[in-house]
Each structure stands twice: as structure tokens, then as C-alpha cells.
Amino acid sequence: MTGSWSSTPPTDVGRYWWRAPDPHGRPEHQQYGLFVVSWEFHSSMPDHPPKRRMRSMCIFNSSYGGEMETGGWSLGGGNDWKTLASHYVGIEFWSEPERGPGGFMPDLPGKPAWTPRDPKVVEEELKKSKEASAKRHKEELDERTQKIADAKASGETLYECESCDELHCESDLVQVRECPHCNDEKFDGTENGQSCPSCNRRFTRNITETGCPECLDECEVLAEDAPEEPKPEPAPAPKKRKR
Ligand SMILES: [Zn+2]
Ligand SMILES: [Zn+2]
């Protein structure tokens, strides 16, 4: 073995060990886990060059990321190394990739082939997508104005979601509950009742009676004659996939 521990994250593709001291200084509680460095290319973003990604795979002896399973390890992966480093002060990485017996993850991809597209074509597409999103934005605004006018005419109270800005009438709102056993997972209590859909426990918390049916966040009564806030122009760039 020629490797060593270093606070500089590795850049070569592979799987690495990381370690960090226990925040309370207990040597038997040293924290450690596995970390993967790989190249990623998103087919949905053909104009973006491939990127090297560093993500945690699992965390052992964790003091972060919720309850531990018996045996002291959790599969709390998915963080990039900067997030990891902010939670594990003093993090260090083993300098050599660890591939395990018989070559663990032998098909970890290398840098994918990528050729930049004709910038003229890209620009043309960008322009088209900008126009389309401006049109969509206007349609949404018109729809909103219409909804407010309709509610006014029928004397109905409108609610606005704080997260997605969607307008809902009272009958569309849902009761939102969260389960303290499932990382405060939110669910629609109107539809599922009081039991958590994940663990089926009944002792869940009622968060709000005026929940948004789309995103389960709280809705507030739409302030009457509120000055129209100019909405920020929607970004034309393709959405990054959530992982
Ligand atoms: Zn919402
Ligand atoms: Zn639950």
C-alpha cells in the first residue's frame, strides 16, 4: 500500500475511503465512509461538457443524517464532497482508489466522448426556448388573472401556495400531516387518513389544514388587491435533474 490520508479530495475516477474525527473527540467514534469519483454526462444537457462528480456512497458511524440503523452504519449517500466536508470537520480522503477483491465497480465510466455543438444551432435553440417560455409565462399570468376574477365574481376565497404560487379554492386544499418516524415525511392526510403511508403509524402530526394539493406546502388566503409582483423571468436553461 502506497496510499496516504489527505485533506485534498481525489480527482481520479474510483471509489475512495474517507474518514473524519468524531466531533466530541472520541476515537472509537471516528466517522468514515465511501466516496465515488466518476464522470457524468447528461444526455438532457448535450451542450454541457461532461463533469467529474464526487459523491458519497455511504457513511459509517455517522453523527449526521438521522437515526442510525443497528450496527452503526447508514446509507446516507448522495452528498458532494463539499457538503460532506461541511458536516465532517477534518475530513480526509485515502489517496488511492479502492477497488476491492476482483475489481469493485470495474465499469465505473471514464470521461465520456463529447464534442461541442455548432454554437449557431445552440443559439437558435436557446432563442426558441426563450420565446416559448415567455409565451407560457404570459398564459400563466392570464390564467391567474382569470382565476382571481372568477373568484371575485363568485365570492369564493382563494388561497395561494407559499411554495409553488399556485392558486387554489378552499375545496381543493388538503390536510397535510407529517410522520416523525419517517424523517418528517409529509403526506396528504385528506386522502390517506392519519396513518403514515410509509410506516403505517398513526401518530403523525397535523401540519396544516390549508395544504397545497400539488406540493403539500402551506397556503395562505390570497391578499385582496395585492399589488402584482413582477415574477422573475423563468430561466431558459434546461432543468438540472434532481438526484
Ligand atoms: Zn404548492
Ligand atoms: Zn412513517
Side-chain angles (χ1 to χ4, degrees), residues 40-53:
E40 271 183 22
F41 177 70
H42 289 287
S43 50
S44 60
M45 298 190 290
D47 300 320
H48 293 241
K51 266 197 177 141
R52 205 163 27 208
R53 269 181 71 96

Side-chain angles (χ1 to χ4, degrees), residues 106-122:
D107 36 86
L108 200 61
K111 189 173 182 176
W114 180 77
T115 329
R117 286 199 303 159
D118 181 353
K120 271 187 197 152
V121 175
V122 175

Side-chain angles (χ1 to χ4, degrees), residues 176-187 194-207:
V176 180
R177 305 189 71 88
E178 68 178 19
C179 176
H181 305 284
C182 298
N183 265 324
D184 296 338
E185 185 187 309
K186 286 183 185 171
F187 62 95
Q194 308 217 332
S195 302
C196 169
S198 294
C199 70
N200 209 27
R201 283 185 169 98
R202 284 203 56 224
F203 301 101
T204 56
R205 304 187 197 106
N206 186 359
I207 297 303

Side-chain angles (χ1 to χ4, degrees), residues 114-131:
W114 180 77
T115 329
R117 286 199 303 159
D118 181 353
K120 271 187 197 152
V121 175
V122 175
E123 188 149 328
E124 189 58 36
E125 277 178 20
L126 204 68
K127 205 178 128 203
K128 267 188 201 155
S129 109
K130 255 188 190 160
E131 283 165 4

Side-chain angles (χ1 to χ4, degrees), residues 4-240:
S4 60
W5 290 103
S6 158
S7 55
T8 313
T11 51
D12 284 343
V13 163
R15 182 184 73 163
Y16 298 85
W17 287 100
W18 62 263
R19 69 174 187 187
D22 173 51
H24 308 292
R26 298 165 300 185
E28 74 277 20
H29 283 91
Q30 172 165 278
Q31 302 161 105
Y32 55 104
L34 288 166
F35 199 77
V36 157
V37 179
S38 63
W39 280 100
E40 271 183 22
F41 177 70
H42 289 287
S43 50
S44 60
M45 298 190 290
D47 300 320
H48 293 241
K51 266 197 177 141
R52 205 163 27 208
R53 269 181 71 96
M54 301 178 236
R55 280 185 299 115
S56 61
M57 291 167 67
C58 54
I59 296 166
F60 301 92
N61 232 356
S62 161
S63 65
Y64 157 73
E67 275 173 49
M68 301 298 296
E69 298 293 330
T70 334
W73 62 279
S74 70
L75 271 173
N79 291 310
D80 60 79
W81 86 265
K82 280 179 187 154
T83 312
L84 209 63
S86 70
H87 286 287
Y88 296 98
V89 178
I91 192 167
E92 289 179 310
F93 304 90
W94 187 246
S95 59
E96 299 291 315
E98 208 267 4
R99 291 185 183 275
F104 181 82
M105 305 180 80
D107 36 86
L108 200 61
K111 189 173 182 176
W114 180 77
T115 329
R117 286 199 303 159
D118 181 353
K120 271 187 197 152
V121 175
V122 175
E123 188 149 328
E124 189 58 36
E125 277 178 20
L126 204 68
K127 205 178 128 203
K128 267 188 201 155
S129 109
K130 255 188 190 160
E131 283 165 4
S133 77
K135 188 171 166 239
R136 211 167 42 239
H137 179 56
K138 192 184 172 305
E139 281 168 4
E140 275 167 20
L141 265 183
D142 289 350
E143 201 182 300
R144 188 183 168 91
T145 313
Q146 188 60 44
K147 246 186 190 171
I148 294 174
D150 287 352
K152 230 176 206 168
S154 64
E156 210 170 0
T157 310
L158 275 183
Y159 290 79
E160 183 174 32
C161 173
E162 291 179 345
S163 298
C164 70
D165 293 336
E166 208 40 63
L167 295 180
H168 302 291
C169 57
E170 197 166 359
S171 56
D172 289 336
L173 299 177
V174 298
Q175 184 195 64
V176 180
R177 305 189 71 88
E178 68 178 19
C179 176
H181 305 284
C182 298
N183 265 324
D184 296 338
E185 185 187 309
K186 286 183 185 171
F187 62 95
D188 177 351
T190 313
E191 203 165 280
N192 298 318
Q194 308 217 332
S195 302
C196 169
S198 294
C199 70
N200 209 27
R201 283 185 169 98
R202 284 203 56 224
F203 301 101
T204 56
R205 304 187 197 106
N206 186 359
I207 297 303
T208 176
E209 297 284 340
T210 58
C212 171
E214 327 243 314
C215 69
L216 298 182
D217 274 314
E218 183 153 18
C219 299
E220 298 241 304
V221 176
L222 182 72
E224 240 185 276
D225 296 319
E228 276 280 316
E229 258 179 71
K231 277 193 178 176
E233 192 68 13
K239 270 186 189 163
K240 249 190 193 172

